[in-house]
Amino acid sequence: MSQKLTRYLPILDWGRSYNEVALSNDLMAAVIVTIMLIPQSLAYALLAGLPPEAGLYASIVPIILYAIFGTSRALAVGPVAVVSLMTAAALGHIADQGTMGYAVAALTLAFLSGAILLAMGVFKLGFLANFLSHPVIAGFITASGVIIAASQIKHILGISASGENLIELLHSIVVHLGGTNWITLIIGVSATAFLFWVRKGLKPFLKSKGVSAGAADVATKAGPVAAVVLTTVVVWLFGLSDHGVRIVGAVPQSLPPLTMPDFSFDLMGALLLPAILISVIGFVESISVAQTLAAKKRQRIDPDQELIGLGTANLGAAFTGGFPVTGGFSRSVVNFDAGAETPAAGAFTAVGLAIAALALTPLVFFLPQATLAATIIVAVLSLVDFSILKKAWGYSKADFAAVLATMLVTLGSGVELGVTCGVVLSIFLHLYKTTKPHIAEVGLVPSTEHFRNINRHKVETDPAILTLRIDESLYFANARFLEDYIYDRLAGDETIKHVVLMCSAINEIDFSALESLEAINARLRDMGIKLHLSEVKGPVMDRLQKHHFIADLTGQVFLSQHAAYDALKNSAT
Amino acid sequence: MSQKLTRYLPILDWGRSYNEVALSNDLMAAVIVTIMLIPQSLAYALLAGLPPEAGLYASIVPIILYAIFGTSRALAVGPVAVVSLMTAAALGHIADQGTMGYAVAALTLAFLSGAILLAMGVFKLGFLANFLSHPVIAGFITASGVIIAASQIKHILGISASGENLIELLHSIVVHLGGTNWITLIIGVSATAFLFWVRKGLKPFLKSKGVSAGAADVATKAGPVAAVVLTTVVVWLFGLSDHGVRIVGAVPQSLPPLTMPDFSFDLMGALLLPAILISVIGFVESISVAQTLAAKKRQRIDPDQELIGLGTANLGAAFTGGFPVTGGFSRSVVNFDAGAETPAAGAFTAVGLAIAALALTPLVFFLPQATLAATIIVAVLSLVDFSILKKAWGYSKADFAAVLATMLVTLGSGVELGVTCGVVLSIFLHLYKTTKPHIAEVGLVPSTEHFRNINRHKVETDPAILTLRIDESLYFANARFLEDYIYDRLAGDETIKHVVLMCSAINEIDFSALESLEAINARLRDMGIKLHLSEVKGPVMDRLQKHHFIADLTGQVFLSQHAAYDALKNSAT
């Protein structure tokens, strides 16, 4: 009972052995992450089309809930770039940004995501996320990064523009280009350039000045905060907001409010599909980060429990003024690098953000939106990596096709269609490959008991024995292919007296394939040829024995191909 | 060039060697099939909701076109039960039966089917039909048979009733039961009973009377014609059509007319999905029959050319007053049994039917619709076979689930949703099985070089060597599973120094799985354990060598598992 409870409440596991060392490490990590999260949370709220405080709220209660239910020691939950973009895309169909309906729909979306994740966790459906292949994810993240960066250009220019895909966005930007606010542009470009330099050039520069690696790291992480402080002070000092520079403005000083999603049937129906996609994408992103970090410390992640952790976090976001959240890559890495030992670090971060929401929001009144856009652009462009195209091309054309389709459709038609296309195409291509399986004619590698392809290896064969190794499970999609292959191979070859199917690569024989095998057996019987099987694996044999096929087989079932060859060679001569 | 032409025009092949013997055999078969097809064609037109002559027209030009382009020597093309039912279901959404719009929509549906089949043939997409597994087809045919039989009950009762699925049909029949015409009922029940008896009891009866088997066979085939003649004469003699018995009535005396389908965008859009389903189902039914008959005479069927043959047949139906057609089971078997040697038999049948359409239609004026309904009921009930449920249950629960779902959804929601559900579910279940592959720990079978599962066989192992045989291709859906499996297996086992992945059952390693293998290799390196591969198949190795994984591998790639065990056993001790 207690063990089961620990499984569902991982906090009981690490909480028991919590000590002073862990506490001080967790506190230190929490301070660093809090400072980093304040501008990031505001920025992602902006990206999702929500008021800035929603970003803070989405980082407080969800972090605490994940700390209780999640299994990763270092994962930091909150708004992330891709999910924020998907949130904006989903809500764009429902209501206009800035309206009450939009904010309430965001709560509903978080609620649906939470419910879906929780259900997947309870019913152990985490494996469904595996249908998103690595190349599809990589293609999707890269394309999303490009779209997110493009969506922020308007803030850098100080204009209005909108669009769900790259073409719409760029077109809208060009149309509105005449309205560019030059002061905003200078601030935005400076902030972007500064942040890029911090990311790429600051560390080597500090090191060359004799600063320790650790201190240089901290300085790099503090870059966005420095940009925020500097540009806020400049706007405030010179009164630039009177010259058209858009600022964050008044943010309520408040703890996360209690909020209620809209449970109307119509809204839930309209948001269901986006919520499924957000849940799955968010889960995949989160679990990848969690597993990467856990592997470094030889810890284990339980995917189904992760679903429960993320599910409760999203439900928390739904009832406290947030929007869909998941485990973020950059914040989790910072948390991990800063020395977080347990999920308590997350809880302390939540306390830090709560203090910020309560006391520090007046300080961001003059923060220019262009600075937030700059932090988003610099963050997401680090996710953009077109090299996956080259890597996939070099390894497998099918994987390449899946990446390319995902990228093009995401850029051209938006995130929802893009990821759906990628998944459907990669499943189809996988199935397609299995419809025409590789079939090798094999012979004995001399002075071994090993059988290999006669076209690739120098092997011994017997003209009366045809041994075929079928390199695929036999199931409905390829059952007929094997029949055709065997009949074609036998046509005109009168010397063959035995056909041996070497089943070492057959992992399943379904009912359709079984009927094909029966047909082959009957047809070969008519031709005076015996059909044998070799190296049938345990689970496959178990199933075959439930059926009369084995009894009807004209030949035998051999444990190994060598035994088959030995026995038939003697009988044939 | 000439060979290529023969591939696309099979008539050039068999036409060249056509002789007197083949001619007389083909003529004899044509006479028998023509007699059988006259009532059948009228009946299937009734089932499709079309005027009776449409059934004759659909059997004339399509047969000739198939004779030119098809590859089966015995297949008889025309209206068949399941496709007629699907036609009625598709057109039911578009127009009311008996209207001009309905008949024109039938032409459009035939045109779309023809175009789809032709395109599939030209682009060699015949393999797509393989995604209909045998159990799904069996379940679908059985459920369709039940629906078709139920849809004919109204003709037996002489009432009006309609519905797309079993529940709607039965409900509608019960509602209208009060309007039963007793004379019609007597005719219908008598005809049904007579036809059942002909099918089951006539042959044994005649044989017991000393009639030869061949003559008894012919008499059995002539049963429906006898029923048609008898009931027509009775209705005519006693003037029963004046007492509410519905008759076929006036059928135009004409060769197939030239007709033009409606190519409007809206109609084509509405019929596209049904047309795809009709094409695929029709193709599957046709190719199964063709292959069964070809196998008996050691002939070959070319599936892609079959698509072209069926495609042109449907295009022919579209422009000559027909509706979707395909190769039918019963008519083809009759054709084959009657001795048809070449597709010329089909052409002669077409001539016979053309004569019937031109000269004999006045003879069916008094033919009661109840008799046609009886021939349909008896024909389709022979297709109904619920034993597939039991067979599938005994062999595989996944196949059983697919059959059951197909049957229930077809009966409950109609043919289109039923077959779609079956296909989607069987693909999902197939994929699901591959997400959690069977992984066997293997050891050496003593005094052989063969390695088998340590849990099933008495084998020799070395505690420093962990050999895992993965019984599945590695791809995105199961890449993570292998990682988890290996880490779990190694946890707490300090003696293992070598992990060997025996790849005899791995038929593909996609990019996602490759990244997982890289992760495993790196993780094991950190743990001081070497990763080796054995029995990697040619095509898989070709691909791996394009990537730096093999160079980064901490261990070696062995040709055989025995070589791996030998080498590592010595190095470990």
Side-chain angles (χ1 to χ4, degrees):
Chain A
M1 183 59 213
S2 151
Q3 256 201 337
K4 205 168 168 187
L5 208 62
T6 309
R7 153 124 176 46
Y8 289 111
L9 280 172
I11 193 173
L12 297 178
D13 178 30
W14 59 262
R16 205 169 291 158
S17 56
Y18 203 66
N19 58 28
E20 228 166 279
V21 180
L23 174 68
S24 94
N25 284 338
D26 284 348
L27 271 176
M28 174 55 91
V31 170
I32 294 174
V33 174
T34 304
I35 293 171
M36 171 203 173
L37 278 194
I38 294 173
Q40 208 183 78
S41 300
L42 302 176
Y44 289 146
L46 193 74
L47 176 55
L50 288 160
E53 65 270 21
L56 290 174
Y57 300 157
S59 303
I60 297 173
V61 173
I63 289 185
I64 295 172
L65 287 167
Y66 180 83
I68 299 170
F69 293 103
T71 58
S72 166
R73 298 285 175 103
L75 195 73
V77 167
V80 305
V82 172
V83 169
S84 299
L85 173 70
M86 294 179 81
T87 298
L91 301 182
H93 303 295
I94 306 291
D96 288 331
Q97 288 194 8
T99 63
M100 192 60 204
Y102 191 92
V104 172
L107 301 177
T108 304
L109 192 62
F111 173 80
L112 283 173
S113 294
I116 291 165
L117 288 163
L118 206 56
M120 285 174 72
V122 170
F123 295 110
K124 304 205 179 302
L125 298 177
F127 72 90
L128 286 177
N130 293 340
F131 284 106
L132 279 168
S133 72
H134 295 201
V136 167
I137 297 169
F140 176 71
I141 296 283
T142 288
S144 304
V146 171
I147 292 183
I148 294 170
S151 75
Q152 298 305 304
I153 294 176
K154 64 177 176 188
H155 295 298
I156 302 283
L157 296 169
I159 60 176
S160 297
S162 64
E164 258 188 46
N165 57 53
L166 194 60
I167 299 153
E168 284 175 22
L169 271 169
L170 294 182
H171 179 255
S172 177
I173 288 168
V174 169
V175 166
H176 294 91
L177 210 54
T180 301
N181 179 291
W182 293 97
I183 305 174
T184 306
L185 182 62
I186 291 166
I187 294 172
V189 169
S190 312
T192 310
F194 172 72
L195 290 171
F196 266 117
W197 176 75
V198 165
R199 202 171 260 262
K200 302 279 175 191
L202 182 61
K203 213 158 141 185
F205 173 78
L206 289 176
K207 273 193 187 161
S208 74
K209 296 284 170 197
V211 178
S212 77
D217 251 351
V218 171
T220 308
K221 300 279 150 53
V225 177
V228 164
V229 172
L230 281 174
T231 54
T232 305
V233 169
V234 167
V235 171
W236 170 61
L237 274 181
F238 299 102
L240 298 181
S241 59
D242 299 336
H243 295 83
V245 174
R246 284 183 214 168
I247 55 174
V248 168
V251 178
Q253 281 181 274
S254 154
L255 284 177
L258 261 180
T259 52
M260 186 53 81
D262 177 351
F263 294 114
S264 76
F265 193 78
D266 282 354
L267 184 64
M268 306 254 284
L271 290 177
L272 184 62
L273 197 67
I276 292 174
L277 289 174
I278 288 175
S279 304
V280 173
I281 298 275
F283 173 61
V284 168
E285 175 164 359
S286 182
I287 195 108
S288 312
V289 178
Q291 278 177 331
T292 307
L293 298 180
K296 292 194 184 176
K297 288 201 176 174
R298 301 280 166 87
Q299 292 159 349
R300 301 282 307 141
I301 298 296
D302 174 351
D304 289 319
Q305 184 61 28
E306 277 302 284
L307 283 164
I308 293 174
L310 292 175
T312 51
N314 274 290
L315 291 180
F319 292 102
T320 59
F323 56 100
V325 295
T326 193
F329 178 72
S330 58
R331 61 179 62 189
S332 300
V333 170
V334 170
N335 195 33
F336 182 86
D337 287 346
E341 286 203 11
T342 73
F348 300 146
T349 304
V351 173
L353 288 170
I355 294 170
L358 209 53
L360 306 182
T361 54
L363 296 182
V364 297
F365 185 90
F366 285 108
L367 170 57
Q369 292 189 349
T371 306
L372 292 180
T375 64
I376 294 176
I377 289 174
V378 176
V380 296
L381 285 186
S382 72
L383 302 177
V384 171
D385 179 10
F386 283 99
S387 75
I388 181 70
L389 280 171
K390 201 183 149 208
K391 280 192 244 165
W393 174 262
Y395 185 69
S396 141
K397 300 298 169 281
D399 280 307
F400 173 77
V403 188
L404 189 67
T406 309
M407 279 189 183
L408 291 181
V409 178
T410 304
L411 291 176
S413 300
V415 284
E416 292 173 0
L417 199 59
V419 74
T420 309
C421 261
V423 170
V424 171
L425 186 64
S426 48
I427 289 176
F428 176 79
L429 289 174
H430 169 71
L431 289 175
Y432 176 72
K433 278 179 271 182
T434 66
T435 59
K436 291 172 183 170
H438 179 250
I439 297 182
E441 213 171 309
V442 297
L444 180 65
V445 179
S447 75
T448 72
E449 297 183 2
H450 192 59
F451 285 74
R452 293 305 280 251
N453 193 333
I454 58 168
N455 296 321
R456 287 176 179 264
H457 300 265
K458 215 175 168 162
V459 292
E460 179 195 323
T461 55
D462 183 317
I465 307 173
L466 171 67
T467 305
L468 298 175
R469 190 192 70 207
I470 300 118
D471 288 354
E472 198 62 66
S473 292
L474 293 177
Y475 76 114
F476 55 88
N478 60 24
R480 212 168 266 145
F481 182 86
L482 177 65
E483 272 192 79
D484 288 348
Y485 185 94
I486 291 180
Y487 302 155
D488 280 346
R489 176 63 185 80
L490 291 177
D493 192 335
E494 299 289 333
T495 55
I496 296 170
K497 295 285 160 242
H498 299 277
V499 171
V500 185
L501 299 183
M502 182 175 167
C503 303
S504 50
I506 295 177
N507 306 310
E508 196 214 336
I509 295 178
D510 80 350
F511 196 76
S512 304
L514 181 72
E515 292 191 338
S516 281
L517 288 177
E518 286 187 276
I520 293 169
N521 186 46
R523 180 97 167 252
L524 295 191
R525 182 196 291 127
D526 293 350
M527 298 167 79
I529 298 172
K530 285 188 175 173
L531 178 68
H532 309 267
L533 306 179
S534 76
E535 309 208 357
V536 182
K537 281 184 284 197
V540 175
M541 197 65 201
D542 288 350
R543 179 159 290 172
L544 286 181
Q545 268 161 346
K546 291 188 195 167
H547 193 269
H548 53 80
F549 171 68
I550 295 293
D552 294 349
L553 197 65
T554 51
Q556 293 168 258
V557 179
F558 295 96
L559 184 66
S560 72
Q561 176 53 32
H562 188 251
Y565 188 71
D566 242 24
L568 300 177
K569 197 173 58 172
N570 297 339
S571 82
T573 49
Chain B
M1 182 62 212
S2 153
Q3 256 203 336
K4 204 169 169 189
L5 207 63
T6 309
R7 152 121 177 48
Y8 289 111
L9 280 172
I11 193 173
L12 297 179
D13 179 28
W14 59 262
R16 203 169 291 158
S17 55
Y18 203 66
N19 58 29
E20 229 167 278
V21 181
L23 175 68
S24 94
N25 285 338
D26 284 347
L27 271 175
M28 173 55 90
V31 170
I32 294 175
V33 174
T34 303
I35 293 171
M36 171 203 172
L37 278 193
I38 294 173
Q40 207 182 79
S41 300
L42 301 176
Y44 289 147
L46 193 75
L47 175 56
L50 288 160
E53 64 271 21
L56 290 174
Y57 300 157
S59 303
I60 297 173
V61 173
I63 289 185
I64 295 172
L65 287 168
Y66 180 82
I68 298 171
F69 294 102
T71 59
S72 168
R73 299 283 175 103
L75 196 71
V77 167
V80 306
V82 171
V83 169
S84 300
L85 173 71
M86 294 179 81
T87 298
L91 301 182
H93 303 295
I94 306 291
D96 287 331
Q97 288 193 10
T99 63
M100 192 61 204
Y102 191 92
V104 172
L107 301 175
T108 304
L109 192 62
F111 174 79
L112 283 173
S113 295
I116 291 165
L117 288 163
L118 206 55
M120 284 173 71
V122 170
F123 296 110
K124 304 204 177 304
L125 298 178
F127 72 91
L128 286 176
N130 293 340
F131 285 106
L132 279 168
S133 72
H134 296 200
V136 166
I137 297 169
F140 176 71
I141 296 284
T142 289
S144 303
V146 171
I147 292 183
I148 293 170
S151 75
Q152 298 306 305
I153 295 176
K154 63 177 178 189
H155 296 298
I156 302 283
L157 295 169
I159 60 175
S160 298
S162 65
E164 260 188 45
N165 57 53
L166 193 61
I167 299 153
E168 283 175 22
L169 271 169
L170 294 182
H171 178 255
S172 177
I173 288 168
V174 169
V175 166
H176 294 91
L177 209 55
T180 300
N181 179 292
W182 293 96
I183 305 174
T184 306
L185 183 61
I186 290 166
I187 294 172
V189 170
S190 312
T192 309
F194 172 73
L195 289 171
F196 266 116
W197 175 76
V198 165
R199 201 170 261 261
K200 303 279 175 192
L202 181 61
K203 215 159 142 185
F205 172 77
L206 289 175
K207 274 193 188 160
S208 73
K209 296 284 171 198
V211 177
S212 77
D217 250 351
V218 172
T220 307
K221 299 279 149 55
V225 177
V228 164
V229 172
L230 281 175
T231 53
T232 305
V233 169
V234 167
V235 170
W236 170 61
L237 274 182
F238 299 100
L240 297 180
S241 60
D242 299 335
H243 294 83
V245 173
R246 284 184 214 166
I247 55 175
V248 168
V251 177
Q253 281 181 273
S254 155
L255 284 176
L258 261 180
T259 51
M260 186 54 81
D262 177 351
F263 295 114
S264 76
F265 192 78
D266 282 356
L267 184 64
M268 306 254 284
L271 290 177
L272 184 63
L273 198 66
I276 292 174
L277 289 174
I278 287 175
S279 305
V280 174
I281 297 275
F283 174 60
V284 168
E285 175 165 0
S286 181
I287 195 110
S288 312
V289 178
Q291 279 177 331
T292 307
L293 298 181
K296 291 195 185 175
K297 289 204 177 172
R298 300 282 166 89
Q299 291 159 349
R300 302 282 306 141
I301 297 296
D302 174 351
D304 290 319
Q305 184 60 28
E306 278 302 284
L307 284 164
I308 292 174
L310 292 175
T312 51
N314 274 290
L315 291 180
F319 291 102
T320 58
F323 57 99
V325 295
T326 193
F329 179 72
S330 57
R331 59 177 64 189
S332 300
V333 171
V334 170
N335 195 32
F336 182 87
D337 287 347
E341 285 204 12
T342 73
F348 301 145
T349 304
V351 173
L353 288 170
I355 294 170
L358 208 53
L360 306 183
T361 53
L363 297 181
V364 297
F365 186 90
F366 286 107
L367 170 58
Q369 293 189 350
T371 306
L372 292 178
T375 64
I376 294 176
I377 289 174
V378 175
V380 296
L381 285 185
S382 72
L383 302 176
V384 171
D385 178 10
F386 284 100
S387 75
I388 182 68
L389 280 171
K390 201 182 150 210
K391 281 192 243 164
W393 174 263
Y395 185 69
S396 141
K397 300 298 168 280
D399 281 306
F400 173 77
V403 189
L404 189 66
T406 309
M407 280 188 182
L408 290 180
V409 178
T410 304
L411 291 176
S413 300
V415 283
E416 292 173 1
L417 199 60
V419 73
T420 310
C421 260
V423 171
V424 170
L425 185 64
S426 49
I427 289 176
F428 176 79
L429 289 174
H430 169 72
L431 288 175
Y432 176 72
K433 277 180 271 183
T434 68
T435 59
K436 290 170 185 172
H438 179 250
I439 297 182
E441 215 171 310
V442 297
L444 180 66
V445 179
S447 75
T448 73
E449 297 183 1
H450 192 60
F451 285 74
R452 292 307 280 249
N453 193 333
I454 58 169
N455 296 321
R456 287 176 179 264
H457 301 265
K458 215 175 168 163
V459 293
E460 180 194 322
T461 55
D462 182 316
I465 308 172
L466 171 68
T467 305
L468 297 175
R469 190 191 70 208
I470 300 117
D471 287 353
E472 197 62 66
S473 291
L474 293 177
Y475 75 114
F476 55 87
N478 59 25
R480 212 169 267 144
F481 181 85
L482 176 66
E483 270 193 80
D484 289 348
Y485 185 94
I486 290 180
Y487 301 156
D488 280 347
R489 176 63 185 79
L490 291 177
D493 192 335
E494 300 287 335
T495 56
I496 296 169
K497 296 284 161 244
H498 299 277
V499 170
V500 185
L501 299 183
M502 182 175 166
C503 303
S504 51
I506 295 177
N507 306 310
E508 196 215 337
I509 295 179
D510 80 350
F511 196 75
S512 304
L514 181 72
E515 291 191 338
S516 281
L517 287 177
E518 286 187 277
I520 292 168
N521 186 46
R523 180 98 167 253
L524 295 191
R525 182 196 290 129
D526 293 349
M527 297 167 79
I529 299 173
K530 284 187 177 175
L531 179 68
H532 309 267
L533 306 179
S534 75
E535 309 207 357
V536 182
K537 281 184 285 198
V540 175
M541 196 65 200
D542 288 349
R543 179 159 290 172
L544 285 181
Q545 268 161 345
K546 291 189 195 167
H547 193 269
H548 53 79
F549 172 68
I550 294 293
D552 294 348
L553 196 66
T554 52
Q556 293 168 257
V557 180
F558 295 97
L559 185 66
S560 71
Q561 175 54 33
H562 187 251
Y565 188 71
D566 240 26
L568 300 177
K569 197 173 60 172
N570 296 339
S571 82
T573 49

